[in-house]
Amino acid sequence: MKKVLCIIVGMLCLLPLAAKVKLPAIIGNDMVLQQNTNANLWGWASHSRKITVKTSWDNKTYTTTSTSDGTWKLQVQTPSAGGPYSITISDGEPVALTNILIGEVWLCSGQSNMEMPVKGFRGQPVKGSCDVIATASPSDNIRMVTLKINSSQTLLDDCVATPWMESTPANVADFSATAYFFASYLRKVLNMPVGVICSSWGGSKIESWIHKEVYTEKFPEISLSVLTKDPKDIARPKDEPTLLYNAMIHPIKQFTIKGTIWYQGESNLNNPQVYKRLFPAMVESWRKEWNQGEFPFYYVQIAPYDYGRKNADKTEAAEIRQVQLECLKEIPNAGMVVTADIGNRTCVHPSDKESVGKRFALWALAKTYQRSGTPYSGPLYKSFAIDKEKIIVEFDYAEMGMTSYDREIVGFEIAGKDGVYYPAKAVLFDNKTKVVLTSEQVPEPIGVKYGFRNYQPLNLFSNFGLPASPFVAK
């Protein structure tokens, strides 16, 4: 009898064990998949198992086999925007994903100004949030998922995240305001579902969002000793190289997206020139990781703020804005949202997140979705010429002229050979497409700055109501 039992047990051990596939946190019910593409799906199963994936929009079945470590990955062909649809994934025991939409998917990342929810932070409201929350509805076809803050010294295969959520009032209240306003404007104009993935951590430095390989290949002077420390000795992981990338970017790099919006920079005021090198390197690395070519990457030029109420006339924040402007020429397929008009002197989290989201959306509509005629940028510095005691500044994106809305134009400074800058009188001319600058203190000017202070709200706008970017030119 014992011999028979042993034989039976042995035979059972040889039979393949059916186990429900495990999916990453970013894949689930209510998600949005990128339209008109081959979208990635992946997960884990028992080793060497046949995996089948059936998509309801075309009743097509895809198959693959899990590897020796149980991982599997395949691509499904997505149609034009629509839904809801379902996907069934099975290795013998099916897992059904329901209420899936097909549309446009964007990754939204950065620090606290991206993290700030529609309901605001305590004592720091978001303008218009009551109306936005009260009128939110699942019928808006905006879907949202938030990665919870996490760090790791090694690359993680999965993240910690909320489920994908429909745009109910409660869900919208807790989601990134910038990301939601961006998605809402896109959805309204494109008339199709939009999915937004928020992966952000307040106060984080750009160093934390960058892959380890970038440092070893391009920045060997930046220490990676944090990767060998006892985790208990890492007090602020959001300040340390690569820790947030490992936990909050690497796990979702396989999820097919249309592009990225980025709001970060306030935590890197101490070394703008290093930021100028790190930022393009980060974008290049993310694009390499996603393997989708040079997908759109739009970012915010940080808003004015006096950083401690004693430093309004200092220039740390302005230097980051200058670097961000210069990066516009360094990063292919990029766009920059200007917020020089909507800062708050005493709060690093400006309340007007709707304008930020809309300006992001305008860049995407004009450049990514090729909607001809859509305005997307305020005036950007192009060049200046010296005419005796005058400096004449020319701008890009000012074909329809500029305006200060009948107020005195403020924020320009000019300097002579001594390098001392003085406030300049600014006058629009040449059909209001150029600015003439003069100052009694500078009879022979050779350099010009605009908005080069930590807190300096500016009032030079394009004919479309988009603000000019601060800059320095020598």
Side-chain angles (χ1 to χ4, degrees):
M1 185 66 178
K2 289 183 178 180
K3 185 175 181 180
V4 173
L5 284 173
C6 288
I7 293 172
I8 293 173
V9 171
M11 292 177 66
L12 288 173
C13 290
L14 295 175
L15 293 174
L17 297 176
K20 195 178 289 187
V21 293
K22 179 179 181 294
L23 298 174
I26 197 66
I27 294 177
N29 299 328
D30 306 318
M31 68 179 173
V32 179
L33 292 180
Q34 179 60 40
Q35 67 169 333
N36 296 324
T37 191
N38 293 316
N40 294 323
L41 296 176
W42 72 98
W44 302 270
S46 299
H47 68 84
S48 303
R49 297 287 293 180
K50 180 182 178 182
I51 310 296
T52 63
V53 175
K54 186 173 183 180
T55 51
S56 73
W57 54 82
D58 55 7
N59 290 316
K60 188 173 180 180
T61 299
Y62 303 80
T63 62
T64 189
T65 302
S66 62
T67 62
S68 59
D69 63 0
T71 60
W72 60 268
K73 177 183 176 182
L74 52 71
Q75 293 183 323
V76 297
Q77 187 173 3
T78 57
S80 297
Y85 298 111
S86 63
I87 299 175
T88 302
I89 304 173
S90 178
D91 68 344
E93 185 175 354
V95 174
L97 304 179
T98 61
N99 198 27
I100 295 167
L101 298 179
I102 307 295
E104 294 297 291
V105 182
W106 288 79
L107 170 63
C108 312
S109 188
Q111 58 181 110
S112 56
N113 270 305
M114 181 63 78
E115 183 181 20
M116 188 179 192
V118 174
K119 68 183 182 183
F121 292 137
R122 185 174 297 277
Q124 298 176 358
V126 168
K127 182 180 177 183
S129 59
C130 289
D131 291 340
V132 173
I133 294 168
T135 58
S137 169
S139 64
D140 294 337
N141 284 339
I142 297 170
R143 302 288 175 82
M144 309 161 289
V145 60
T146 301
L147 273 67
K148 297 182 180 180
I149 60 173
N150 192 22
S151 65
S152 173
Q153 292 166 289
T154 59
L155 295 171
L156 299 185
D157 293 326
D158 203 0
C159 61
V160 183
T162 68
W164 279 89
M165 300 178 294
E166 295 182 306
S167 54
T168 65
N171 291 338
V172 167
D174 287 327
F175 190 68
S176 161
T178 296
Y180 180 79
F181 285 121
F182 166 72
S184 179
Y185 203 86
L186 280 189
R187 202 281 313 166
K188 179 179 179 180
V189 177
L190 298 176
N191 193 27
M192 63 180 62
V194 176
V196 271
I197 304 165
C198 185
S199 180
S200 57
W201 189 334
S204 57
K205 292 186 175 181
I206 195 171
E207 287 86 343
S208 260
W209 296 100
I210 298 175
H211 194 296
K212 171 185 173 181
E213 289 182 357
V214 176
Y215 293 107
T216 57
E217 294 174 4
K218 297 183 178 182
F219 302 95
E221 72 276 14
I222 295 180
S223 172
L224 295 177
S225 61
V226 66
L227 301 182
T228 57
K229 284 185 177 181
D230 187 320
K232 293 181 291 186
D233 295 332
I234 304 174
R236 292 176 58 87
K238 60 187 178 180
D239 290 346
E240 300 289 351
T242 208
L243 298 188
L244 304 194
Y245 172 86
N246 290 345
M248 299 179 68
I249 296 296
H250 185 266
I252 61 173
K253 70 173 187 175
Q254 298 185 85
F255 199 89
T256 306
I257 61 174
K258 187 68 172 185
T260 296
I261 62 172
W262 171 259
Y263 197 157
Q264 192 276 339
E266 296 93 340
S267 291
N268 283 91
L269 302 185
N270 60 319
N271 202 329
Q273 291 309 308
V274 171
Y275 192 91
K276 185 179 179 180
R277 297 170 59 216
L278 289 174
F279 186 27
M282 185 197 80
V283 177
E284 181 182 19
S285 171
W286 285 19
R287 287 171 170 169
K288 179 182 177 182
E289 292 293 306
W290 257 267
N291 194 28
Q292 293 183 210
E294 291 181 344
F295 59 71
F297 197 103
Y298 303 129
Y299 61 94
V300 174
Q301 188 184 46
I302 64 171
Y305 172 65
D306 73 3
Y307 291 91
R309 305 188 188 185
K310 297 179 181 178
N311 300 315
D313 288 331
K314 292 191 176 181
T315 63
E316 300 97 326
E319 289 173 31
I320 284 288
R321 289 192 287 270
Q322 175 71 13
V323 161
Q324 290 173 319
L325 176 63
E326 293 170 0
C327 284
L328 194 55
K329 295 182 179 180
E330 300 290 329
I331 302 172
N333 198 18
M336 185 181 73
V337 169
V338 177
T339 58
D341 58 318
I342 53 175
N344 186 312
R345 182 167 193 159
T346 61
C347 183
V348 75
H349 305 123
S351 65
D352 189 1
K353 291 295 185 285
E354 183 175 13
S355 291
V356 181
K358 283 184 177 181
R359 290 170 188 178
F360 267 131
L362 289 172
W363 270 98
L365 291 167
K367 307 300 286 186
T368 302
Y369 299 105
Q370 300 294 308
R371 291 181 66 89
S372 179
T374 302
Y376 59 92
S377 176
L380 296 179
Y381 168 76
K382 180 179 180 181
S383 62
F384 76 86
I386 300 171
D387 182 10
K388 298 179 182 178
E389 77 284 0
K390 304 174 185 175
I391 281 186
I392 301 173
V393 184
E394 189 172 0
F395 293 84
D396 284 321
Y397 308 109
E399 297 85 354
M400 291 296 295
M402 298 178 288
T403 182
S404 62
Y405 295 109
D406 297 322
R407 292 174 292 173
E408 180 183 1
I409 301 173
V410 298
F412 281 100
E413 302 172 50
I414 59 176
K417 294 179 181 180
D418 60 2
V420 178
Y421 281 85
Y422 295 91
K425 180 180 180 181
V427 178
L428 291 168
F429 87 115
D430 194 13
N431 290 320
K432 297 190 176 182
T433 61
K434 299 178 183 178
V435 177
V436 175
L437 304 173
T438 56
S439 172
E440 292 182 358
Q441 290 94 340
V442 187
E444 297 181 0
I446 62 170
V448 55
K449 292 179 179 181
Y450 178 58
F452 214 68
R453 294 288 182 270
N454 279 351
Y455 182 75
Q456 194 168 40
L458 306 179
N459 64 345
L460 189 62
F461 293 84
S462 71
N463 194 49
F464 296 109
L466 296 168
S469 168
F471 67 89
V472 57
K474 298 179 181 178

